[in-house]
Amino acid sequence: MSKVSETTLEIDLRALEHNFRYLKSKLGAETKLLAVVKAFAYGSDMVSVSKKLEGLGVDYFAVAYVKEGVLLRDAGIRTPILVLHPQAVNFDTLIERFLEPSLYSPRILKEFLKVAEAKNQKKYPVHIKFNTGLNRLGFWENDVDWILKHLNGTNAIKIKSIFSHLAASEDENEKDFSLKQIKSFKKSSSELAEKIGYQPIRHMLNTSGILNYTEAQFEMVRSGIGLYGYANDAQIDSELKPVASLKSIISQIHKIEPNESVGYNRAYKSDGYRVIATLPLGHADGIGRHYGGGNTMVLLNGKLVPIIGNVCMDMIMIDVTGADCKEGDEVIIFGGNHSAEDFANSAQTISYEILTAISQRVTRKIKE
Ligand SMILES: *Cc1c(COP(=O)(O)O)cnc(C)c1O
Protein backbone atom coordinates (compact mmCIF):
# COMPACT_ATOMS: atom_id res chain seq x y z
CA MET A 1 0.00 0.00 0.00
CA SER A 2 1.17 3.50 -0.80
CA LYS A 3 1.93 6.05 1.92
CA VAL A 4 -0.25 9.11 2.41
CA SER A 5 0.73 12.62 3.52
CA GLU A 6 -2.63 13.70 4.97
CA THR A 7 -5.85 11.99 6.04
CA THR A 8 -6.91 10.12 2.91
CA LEU A 9 -9.55 7.63 1.87
CA GLU A 10 -7.99 5.38 -0.74
CA ILE A 11 -10.42 3.82 -3.21
CA ASP A 12 -9.09 0.68 -4.87
CA LEU A 13 -10.91 0.11 -8.15
CA ARG A 14 -9.15 -3.22 -8.71
CA ALA A 15 -10.69 -4.45 -5.48
CA LEU A 16 -14.06 -3.23 -6.77
CA GLU A 17 -13.58 -5.21 -9.97
CA HIS A 18 -12.63 -8.31 -7.97
CA ASN A 19 -15.79 -8.02 -5.85
CA PHE A 20 -17.96 -7.40 -8.92
CA ARG A 21 -16.63 -10.58 -10.55
CA TYR A 22 -17.00 -12.54 -7.31
CA LEU A 23 -20.67 -11.54 -6.98
CA LYS A 24 -21.32 -12.29 -10.67
CA SER A 25 -19.87 -15.76 -10.13
CA LYS A 26 -22.65 -16.43 -7.60
CA LEU A 27 -25.38 -15.64 -10.15
CA GLY A 28 -26.95 -17.35 -13.10
CA ALA A 29 -25.57 -16.24 -16.47
CA GLU A 30 -28.79 -14.36 -17.25
CA THR A 31 -29.25 -12.65 -13.90
CA LYS A 32 -28.72 -8.91 -14.03
CA LEU A 33 -26.67 -7.13 -11.38
CA LEU A 34 -27.77 -3.76 -10.02
CA ALA A 35 -25.03 -1.85 -8.19
CA VAL A 36 -26.21 0.20 -5.24
CA VAL A 37 -24.15 3.40 -5.27
CA LYS A 38 -26.21 5.52 -2.88
CA ALA A 39 -24.52 7.67 -0.23
CA PHE A 40 -21.47 8.42 -2.42
CA ALA A 41 -21.03 4.71 -3.22
CA TYR A 42 -21.08 3.80 0.47
CA GLY A 43 -18.85 6.72 1.37
CA SER A 44 -16.19 5.99 -1.25
CA ASP A 45 -16.39 7.98 -4.49
CA MET A 46 -19.62 7.78 -6.41
CA VAL A 47 -18.37 8.90 -9.80
CA SER A 48 -15.19 6.84 -10.15
CA VAL A 49 -16.89 3.76 -8.68
CA SER A 50 -19.90 4.09 -11.00
CA LYS A 51 -17.73 4.70 -14.06
CA LYS A 52 -15.68 1.64 -13.25
CA LEU A 53 -18.82 -0.48 -12.81
CA GLU A 54 -20.34 0.87 -16.01
CA GLY A 55 -17.13 -0.13 -17.79
CA LEU A 56 -17.46 -3.62 -16.32
CA GLY A 57 -20.95 -3.88 -17.79
CA VAL A 58 -23.13 -3.51 -14.71
CA ASP A 59 -26.82 -3.63 -15.70
CA TYR A 60 -28.33 -1.05 -13.38
CA PHE A 61 -27.54 1.49 -10.69
CA ALA A 62 -29.57 2.42 -7.64
CA VAL A 63 -29.35 5.53 -5.51
CA ALA A 64 -31.58 6.61 -2.64
CA TYR A 65 -32.46 10.14 -3.77
CA VAL A 66 -32.89 12.11 -6.98
CA LYS A 67 -29.97 14.38 -6.11
CA GLU A 68 -27.63 11.39 -6.19
CA GLY A 69 -28.91 10.31 -9.59
CA VAL A 70 -28.31 13.82 -10.91
CA LEU A 71 -24.66 13.58 -9.81
CA LEU A 72 -24.30 10.39 -11.84
CA ARG A 73 -25.96 11.86 -14.93
CA ASP A 74 -23.76 14.98 -14.64
CA ALA A 75 -20.75 12.65 -14.65
CA GLY A 76 -21.93 11.08 -17.90
CA ILE A 77 -23.35 7.80 -16.56
CA ARG A 78 -25.78 6.37 -19.16
CA THR A 79 -26.81 3.12 -17.44
CA PRO A 80 -30.40 3.05 -16.06
CA ILE A 81 -30.63 4.46 -12.53
CA LEU A 82 -33.31 3.38 -10.06
CA VAL A 83 -34.09 5.96 -7.37
CA LEU A 84 -35.09 3.94 -4.31
CA HIS A 85 -36.68 6.64 -2.21
CA PRO A 86 -37.65 9.59 -4.39
CA GLN A 87 -39.60 12.53 -3.00
CA ALA A 88 -42.46 14.01 -5.00
CA VAL A 89 -40.92 17.49 -4.95
CA ASN A 90 -38.11 16.17 -7.21
CA PHE A 91 -40.22 14.36 -9.83
CA ASP A 92 -39.68 17.06 -12.49
CA THR A 93 -35.92 16.77 -12.14
CA LEU A 94 -36.17 13.00 -12.03
CA ILE A 95 -37.90 12.92 -15.43
CA GLU A 96 -35.62 15.56 -16.94
CA ARG A 97 -32.55 13.49 -16.02
CA PHE A 98 -34.17 10.21 -17.01
CA LEU A 99 -33.97 8.66 -13.56
CA GLU A 100 -36.40 5.84 -12.74
CA PRO A 101 -38.52 6.10 -9.59
CA SER A 102 -39.41 3.44 -7.09
CA LEU A 103 -43.16 3.85 -6.58
CA TYR A 104 -43.68 2.61 -3.06
CA SER A 105 -47.10 3.85 -1.96
CA PRO A 106 -50.49 4.94 -3.32
CA ARG A 107 -49.61 8.54 -2.57
CA ILE A 108 -46.28 8.47 -4.40
CA LEU A 109 -47.73 6.58 -7.39
CA LYS A 110 -50.50 9.16 -7.82
CA GLU A 111 -48.04 12.04 -7.46
CA PHE A 112 -45.76 10.53 -10.08
CA LEU A 113 -48.58 9.85 -12.53
CA LYS A 114 -49.70 13.46 -12.22
CA VAL A 115 -46.22 14.77 -13.10
CA ALA A 116 -45.60 12.19 -15.85
CA GLU A 117 -48.92 13.03 -17.50
CA ALA A 118 -48.35 16.76 -17.19
CA LYS A 119 -45.00 16.27 -18.92
CA ASN A 120 -46.61 14.13 -21.67
CA GLN A 121 -44.56 11.07 -20.88
CA LYS A 122 -45.25 7.78 -22.67
CA LYS A 123 -44.34 4.51 -20.96
CA TYR A 124 -41.97 6.18 -18.52
CA PRO A 125 -40.11 3.35 -16.71
CA VAL A 126 -41.10 2.93 -13.06
CA HIS A 127 -40.42 0.31 -10.41
CA ILE A 128 -43.11 -1.03 -8.10
CA LYS A 129 -41.93 -1.76 -4.58
CA PHE A 130 -43.75 -4.28 -2.37
CA ASN A 131 -43.43 -4.39 1.38
CA THR A 132 -43.08 -8.05 2.33
CA GLY A 133 -42.17 -7.61 5.98
CA LEU A 134 -39.50 -4.98 6.42
CA ASN A 135 -42.34 -2.51 7.03
CA ARG A 136 -40.35 0.40 5.72
CA LEU A 137 -41.52 1.25 2.19
CA GLY A 138 -43.79 -0.53 -0.26
CA PHE A 139 -47.25 -1.51 -1.36
CA TRP A 140 -49.03 -4.30 0.47
CA GLU A 141 -49.64 -7.68 -1.11
CA ASN A 142 -53.32 -6.80 -1.52
CA ASP A 143 -52.68 -3.44 -3.22
CA VAL A 144 -52.32 -5.10 -6.65
CA ASP A 145 -55.86 -4.23 -7.73
CA TRP A 146 -55.45 -0.66 -6.55
CA ILE A 147 -52.28 -0.36 -8.68
CA LEU A 148 -54.06 -1.81 -11.72
CA LYS A 149 -56.99 0.52 -11.35
CA HIS A 150 -54.63 3.50 -11.42
CA LEU A 151 -52.64 2.21 -14.41
CA ASN A 152 -55.73 1.58 -16.52
CA GLY A 153 -56.49 4.50 -18.76
CA THR A 154 -52.96 5.93 -18.77
CA ASN A 155 -49.92 5.05 -20.82
CA ALA A 156 -47.71 7.64 -19.14
CA ILE A 157 -45.83 4.97 -17.19
CA LYS A 158 -44.69 1.41 -17.71
CA ILE A 159 -43.65 -1.02 -14.99
CA LYS A 160 -40.04 -1.87 -15.68
CA SER A 161 -39.50 -3.86 -12.51
CA ILE A 162 -41.19 -5.19 -9.40
CA PHE A 163 -39.11 -5.49 -6.27
CA SER A 164 -38.98 -6.00 -2.53
CA HIS A 165 -36.34 -6.04 0.20
CA LEU A 166 -35.44 -8.66 2.82
CA ALA A 167 -35.39 -7.64 6.48
CA ALA A 168 -32.75 -10.07 7.75
CA SER A 169 -30.98 -11.67 4.79
CA GLU A 170 -27.76 -12.06 6.79
CA ASP A 171 -29.40 -13.78 9.76
CA GLU A 172 -29.66 -17.56 9.66
CA ASN A 173 -32.03 -17.44 12.66
CA GLU A 174 -34.53 -15.48 10.60
CA LYS A 175 -34.54 -17.88 7.69
CA ASP A 176 -38.23 -18.73 8.07
CA PHE A 177 -39.10 -15.06 7.97
CA SER A 178 -36.96 -14.47 4.85
CA LEU A 179 -38.60 -17.44 3.09
CA LYS A 180 -42.01 -16.03 3.98
CA GLN A 181 -40.99 -12.70 2.45
CA ILE A 182 -39.83 -14.43 -0.73
CA LYS A 183 -43.12 -16.30 -0.94
CA SER A 184 -45.14 -13.13 -0.50
CA PHE A 185 -43.05 -11.41 -3.19
CA LYS A 186 -43.61 -14.28 -5.62
CA LYS A 187 -47.33 -14.00 -5.05
CA SER A 188 -47.66 -10.23 -5.56
CA SER A 189 -45.21 -10.06 -8.45
CA SER A 190 -46.92 -12.93 -10.32
CA GLU A 191 -50.34 -11.47 -9.76
CA LEU A 192 -49.26 -8.02 -10.95
CA ALA A 193 -47.39 -9.40 -13.99
CA GLU A 194 -50.36 -11.55 -14.97
CA LYS A 195 -52.82 -8.69 -14.73
CA ILE A 196 -50.70 -6.17 -16.68
CA GLY A 197 -49.97 -8.80 -19.33
CA TYR A 198 -46.16 -8.53 -19.46
CA GLN A 199 -43.28 -9.64 -17.27
CA PRO A 200 -41.27 -6.88 -15.60
CA ILE A 201 -37.83 -7.59 -14.10
CA ARG A 202 -38.18 -8.96 -10.54
CA HIS A 203 -35.55 -8.38 -7.84
CA MET A 204 -35.41 -8.96 -4.12
CA LEU A 205 -31.87 -9.84 -2.97
CA ASN A 206 -29.25 -7.56 -1.46
CA THR A 207 -25.66 -8.75 -0.89
CA SER A 208 -26.42 -11.19 1.92
CA GLY A 209 -29.51 -12.33 0.04
CA ILE A 210 -27.35 -13.17 -2.99
CA LEU A 211 -25.15 -15.32 -0.78
CA ASN A 212 -27.91 -16.96 1.32
CA TYR A 213 -30.99 -17.13 -0.94
CA THR A 214 -29.47 -17.63 -4.40
CA GLU A 215 -32.64 -19.44 -5.49
CA ALA A 216 -34.56 -16.15 -5.19
CA GLN A 217 -32.38 -14.17 -7.60
CA PHE A 218 -35.22 -13.82 -10.17
CA GLU A 219 -34.09 -11.62 -13.09
CA MET A 220 -31.90 -9.21 -11.10
CA VAL A 221 -30.18 -8.75 -7.74
CA ARG A 222 -29.00 -5.61 -5.93
CA SER A 223 -25.60 -5.40 -4.32
CA GLY A 224 -24.13 -2.59 -2.29
CA ILE A 225 -21.88 -3.65 0.56
CA GLY A 226 -20.53 -6.72 -1.29
CA LEU A 227 -19.16 -4.56 -4.07
CA TYR A 228 -17.30 -2.52 -1.45
CA GLY A 229 -15.76 -5.66 0.05
CA TYR A 230 -17.98 -6.72 2.96
CA ALA A 231 -20.68 -9.36 3.24
CA ASN A 232 -21.81 -9.62 6.88
CA ASP A 233 -20.02 -12.98 7.00
CA ALA A 234 -16.38 -13.57 7.98
CA GLN A 235 -15.98 -16.47 5.55
CA ILE A 236 -17.18 -14.49 2.53
CA ASP A 237 -15.37 -11.35 3.70
CA SER A 238 -12.12 -13.24 3.28
CA GLU A 239 -12.93 -13.73 -0.41
CA LEU A 240 -13.80 -10.09 -1.00
CA LYS A 241 -11.42 -7.12 -1.05
CA PRO A 242 -12.15 -3.87 0.82
CA VAL A 243 -12.40 -1.00 -1.64
CA ALA A 244 -11.91 1.83 0.86
CA SER A 245 -8.94 2.29 3.21
CA LEU A 246 -8.81 5.23 5.59
CA LYS A 247 -5.30 6.40 6.39
CA SER A 248 -3.83 9.29 8.31
CA ILE A 249 -0.47 10.44 9.69
CA ILE A 250 0.86 11.34 13.10
CA SER A 251 0.78 15.13 13.58
CA GLN A 252 2.48 15.24 16.98
CA ILE A 253 3.77 12.94 19.72
CA HIS A 254 3.57 13.77 23.45
CA LYS A 255 5.29 12.00 26.30
CA ILE A 256 3.14 12.27 29.40
CA GLU A 257 3.65 11.46 33.07
CA PRO A 258 1.48 9.38 35.40
CA ASN A 259 -1.83 11.03 36.39
CA GLU A 260 -1.98 13.39 33.46
CA SER A 261 -4.99 13.58 31.20
CA VAL A 262 -5.48 13.68 27.45
CA GLY A 263 -8.11 15.56 25.49
CA TYR A 264 -11.46 17.19 26.25
CA ASN A 265 -13.10 16.62 29.62
CA ARG A 266 -9.87 14.89 30.66
CA ALA A 267 -11.57 11.66 29.59
CA TYR A 268 -8.28 9.72 29.47
CA LYS A 269 -6.06 9.59 32.58
CA SER A 270 -2.59 8.08 32.41
CA ASP A 271 -1.72 5.33 34.89
CA GLY A 272 1.99 5.58 34.08
CA TYR A 273 4.46 7.11 31.64
CA ARG A 274 2.70 7.06 28.27
CA VAL A 275 3.39 8.16 24.72
CA ILE A 276 0.43 9.71 22.92
CA ALA A 277 0.11 10.57 19.23
CA THR A 278 -2.38 13.02 17.69
CA LEU A 279 -3.95 12.34 14.28
CA PRO A 280 -5.65 14.87 11.97
CA LEU A 281 -9.16 13.42 11.80
CA GLY A 282 -12.12 13.49 14.15
CA HIS A 283 -15.86 13.31 14.37
CA ALA A 284 -16.24 15.86 11.57
CA ASP A 285 -14.48 13.34 9.34
CA GLY A 286 -16.76 10.50 10.39
CA ILE A 287 -14.97 9.04 13.38
CA GLY A 288 -17.84 9.36 15.86
CA ARG A 289 -17.37 9.79 19.60
CA HIS A 290 -18.22 6.12 20.18
CA TYR A 291 -14.81 5.24 18.69
CA GLY A 292 -13.05 6.93 21.63
CA GLY A 293 -12.46 5.53 25.08
CA GLY A 294 -9.83 2.91 24.29
CA ASN A 295 -11.87 0.11 22.69
CA THR A 296 -11.20 0.84 19.02
CA MET A 297 -7.86 0.11 17.40
CA VAL A 298 -5.90 1.62 14.54
CA LEU A 299 -2.90 0.09 12.82
CA LEU A 300 0.49 1.76 13.31
CA ASN A 301 3.56 0.19 11.70
CA GLY A 302 1.97 -3.25 11.91
CA LYS A 303 0.78 -2.88 15.52
CA LEU A 304 -2.79 -2.27 16.74
CA VAL A 305 -3.01 0.70 19.12
CA PRO A 306 -6.12 2.20 20.78
CA ILE A 307 -7.95 5.49 20.23
CA ILE A 308 -8.06 7.04 23.70
CA GLY A 309 -10.13 9.73 25.43
CA ASN A 310 -12.81 11.75 23.68
CA VAL A 311 -12.79 12.01 19.90
CA CYS A 312 -12.49 15.71 19.00
CA MET A 313 -13.99 17.39 15.94
CA ASP A 314 -10.74 17.38 13.99
CA MET A 315 -8.43 15.09 15.96
CA ILE A 316 -8.09 11.80 17.72
CA MET A 317 -5.37 10.73 20.11
CA ILE A 318 -3.90 7.25 20.14
CA ASP A 319 -1.75 5.54 22.74
CA VAL A 320 1.53 4.60 21.05
CA THR A 321 3.45 3.64 24.19
CA GLY A 322 6.08 1.05 23.25
CA ALA A 323 5.39 1.37 19.53
CA ASP A 324 8.19 2.19 17.14
CA CYS A 325 6.98 5.43 15.53
CA LYS A 326 7.65 9.09 14.83
CA GLU A 327 5.77 12.20 13.71
CA GLY A 328 4.72 11.90 10.06
CA ASP A 329 4.30 8.12 10.25
CA GLU A 330 1.28 6.63 8.52
CA VAL A 331 -1.62 5.20 10.54
CA ILE A 332 -4.25 2.94 9.01
CA ILE A 333 -7.62 3.71 10.60
CA PHE A 334 -9.18 0.84 8.65
CA GLY A 335 -8.31 -0.99 5.46
CA GLY A 336 -6.55 -4.13 4.34
CA ASN A 337 -6.47 -6.72 7.12
CA HIS A 338 -7.66 -4.17 9.68
CA SER A 339 -11.16 -4.22 8.26
CA ALA A 340 -13.85 -1.58 8.54
CA GLU A 341 -16.06 -4.36 9.91
CA ASP A 342 -13.69 -4.99 12.87
CA PHE A 343 -13.24 -1.27 13.37
CA ALA A 344 -17.03 -0.73 13.41
CA ASN A 345 -17.77 -3.76 15.58
CA SER A 346 -15.46 -2.48 18.31
CA ALA A 347 -17.84 0.47 18.67
CA GLN A 348 -21.04 -1.63 18.47
CA THR A 349 -21.83 -0.62 14.90
CA ILE A 350 -21.54 -2.08 11.39
CA SER A 351 -19.30 -1.58 8.36
CA TYR A 352 -22.13 0.20 6.48
CA GLU A 353 -22.17 2.97 9.07
CA ILE A 354 -18.46 3.71 9.30
CA LEU A 355 -18.01 3.53 5.50
CA THR A 356 -20.84 5.95 4.75
CA ALA A 357 -19.82 8.25 7.60
CA ILE A 358 -16.46 9.29 6.13
CA SER A 359 -17.19 12.93 5.39
CA GLN A 360 -16.60 14.78 2.17
CA ARG A 361 -13.81 16.71 3.92
CA VAL A 362 -11.53 13.68 3.65
CA THR A 363 -9.39 13.60 0.51
CA ARG A 364 -10.23 10.72 -1.81
CA LYS A 365 -7.42 9.07 -3.74
CA ILE A 366 -8.47 6.75 -6.54
CA LYS A 367 -6.24 3.76 -7.30
CA GLU A 368 -6.99 2.55 -10.83
C1 LIG B 1 -29.18 -0.15 0.34
C2 LIG B 1 -30.06 -1.13 -0.32
C3 LIG B 1 -29.53 -2.30 -0.91
C4 LIG B 1 -28.08 -2.71 -0.77
O1 LIG B 1 -27.93 -3.60 0.31
P1 LIG B 1 -26.52 -4.27 0.64
O2 LIG B 1 -26.76 -5.02 1.90
O3 LIG B 1 -25.56 -3.14 0.82
O4 LIG B 1 -26.15 -5.13 -0.52
C5 LIG B 1 -30.40 -3.11 -1.64
N1 LIG B 1 -31.71 -2.81 -1.73
C6 LIG B 1 -32.26 -1.73 -1.13
C7 LIG B 1 -33.72 -1.49 -1.27
C8 LIG B 1 -31.46 -0.86 -0.39
O5 LIG B 1 -32.01 0.20 0.21
Side-chain angles (χ1 to χ4, degrees), residues 36 38 42 84 129 136 163 165 206-208 222-226 232 352:
V36 183
K38 62 193 180 192
Y42 286 42
L84 293 165
K129 170 87 180 273
R136 194 171 70 172
F163 74 113
H165 195 34
N206 66 340
T207 301
S208 292
R222 307 184 298 271
S223 180
I225 200 77
N232 309 309
Y352 296 73

Side-chain angles (χ1 to χ4, degrees), residues 4 7 12 79 114 150 160 191 207 239 247 264 304 308:
V4 300
T7 300
D12 183 350
T79 304
K114 207 163 66 190
H150 286 79
K160 179 110 171 257
E191 194 185 338
T207 301
E239 308 214 34
K247 300 176 177 181
Y264 285 133
L304 287 171
I308 56 159

Side-chain angles (χ1 to χ4, degrees), residues 144-213:
V144 171
D145 287 330
W146 186 95
I147 297 170
L148 281 160
K149 199 177 98 199
H150 286 79
L151 290 187
N152 275 340
T154 175
N155 68 345
I157 64 176
K158 175 165 182 168
I159 300 175
K160 179 110 171 257
S161 90
I162 308 174
F163 74 113
S164 187
H165 195 34
L166 292 169
S169 58
E170 72 278 26
D171 189 349
E172 180 70 20
N173 295 322
E174 295 293 354
K175 189 159 191 178
D176 287 347
F177 188 82
S178 300
L179 293 173
K180 222 172 75 188
Q181 283 193 272
I182 292 168
K183 201 167 150 203
S184 158
F185 178 63
K186 274 189 182 150
K187 182 164 178 280
S188 340
S189 59
S190 315
E191 194 185 338
L192 182 56
E194 204 172 292
K195 292 185 173 166
I196 56 177
Y198 56 90
Q199 180 63 66
I201 299 168
R202 294 167 297 167
H203 48 113
M204 174 148 213
L205 304 180
N206 66 340
T207 301
S208 292
I210 295 170
L211 301 164
N212 298 331
Y213 299 94

Side-chain angles (χ1 to χ4, degrees), residues 270-285:
S270 54
D271 55 7
Y273 291 90
R274 312 297 297 179
V275 185
I276 306 300
T278 303
L279 309 181
L281 82 167
H283 61 73
D285 303 285

Side-chain angles (χ1 to χ4, degrees), residues 21-297:
R21 295 197 192 287
Y22 177 85
L23 289 162
K24 289 286 274 185
S25 77
K26 300 287 164 193
L27 302 173
E30 299 296 306
T31 308
K32 295 179 194 298
L33 178 63
L34 173 153
V36 183
V37 293
K38 62 193 180 192
F40 301 104
Y42 286 42
S44 62
D45 183 76
M46 200 176 201
V47 169
S48 59
V49 161
S50 303
K51 284 193 165 163
K52 177 74 182 178
L53 291 166
E54 188 167 69
L56 290 168
V58 77
D59 298 286
Y60 243 95
F61 287 113
V63 293
Y65 304 119
V66 168
K67 193 185 275 189
E68 299 175 303
V70 169
L71 280 178
L72 292 181
R73 289 289 183 242
D74 283 346
I77 293 291
R78 310 287 293 269
T79 304
I81 301 171
L82 162 59
V83 182
L84 293 165
H85 196 178
Q87 306 294 308
V89 66
N90 302 312
F91 280 159
D92 276 308
T93 311
L94 178 141
I95 291 176
E96 280 152 23
R97 306 311 300 270
F98 206 62
L99 305 169
E100 303 177 7
S102 161
L103 301 183
Y104 52 83
S105 70
R107 176 184 66 88
I108 214 79
L109 187 146
K110 283 194 283 193
E111 296 266 10
F112 188 72
L113 257 184
K114 207 163 66 190
V115 178
E117 282 173 344
K119 292 174 91 76
N120 290 315
Q121 297 301 306
K122 300 278 172 283
K123 298 190 172 175
Y124 195 92
V126 302
H127 304 259
I128 300 290
K129 170 87 180 273
F130 279 101
N131 168 29
T132 53
L134 182 58
N135 290 336
R136 194 171 70 172
L137 291 179
F139 286 97
W140 295 98
E141 210 176 88
N142 58 15
D143 281 334
V144 171
D145 287 330
W146 186 95
I147 297 170
L148 281 160
K149 199 177 98 199
H150 286 79
L151 290 187
N152 275 340
T154 175
N155 68 345
I157 64 176
K158 175 165 182 168
I159 300 175
K160 179 110 171 257
S161 90
I162 308 174
F163 74 113
S164 187
H165 195 34
L166 292 169
S169 58
E170 72 278 26
D171 189 349
E172 180 70 20
N173 295 322
E174 295 293 354
K175 189 159 191 178
D176 287 347
F177 188 82
S178 300
L179 293 173
K180 222 172 75 188
Q181 283 193 272
I182 292 168
K183 201 167 150 203
S184 158
F185 178 63
K186 274 189 182 150
K187 182 164 178 280
S188 340
S189 59
S190 315
E191 194 185 338
L192 182 56
E194 204 172 292
K195 292 185 173 166
I196 56 177
Y198 56 90
Q199 180 63 66
I201 299 168
R202 294 167 297 167
H203 48 113
M204 174 148 213
L205 304 180
N206 66 340
T207 301
S208 292
I210 295 170
L211 301 164
N212 298 331
Y213 299 94
T214 324
E215 71 281 3
Q217 58 191 275
F218 301 102
E219 289 76 39
M220 186 158 82
V221 298
R222 307 184 298 271
S223 180
I225 200 77
L227 287 168
Y228 307 106
Y230 297 94
N232 309 309
D233 178 298
Q235 177 76 34
I236 308 282
D237 281 358
S238 69
E239 308 214 34
L240 296 170
K241 295 184 180 169
V243 167
S245 300
L246 181 61
K247 300 176 177 181
S248 191
I249 57 168
I250 295 177
S251 295
Q252 191 174 12
I253 291 179
H254 289 107
K255 293 189 170 142
I256 61 170
E257 313 232 320
N259 300 314
E260 285 199 69
S261 66
V262 175
Y264 285 133
N265 310 106
R266 309 191 63 206
Y268 172 89
K269 298 254 171 65
S270 54
D271 55 7
Y273 291 90
R274 312 297 297 179
V275 185
I276 306 300
T278 303
L279 309 181
L281 82 167
H283 61 73
D285 303 285
I287 308 300
R289 283 172 58 98
H290 44 295
Y291 290 100
N295 294 323
T296 301
M297 301 292 181

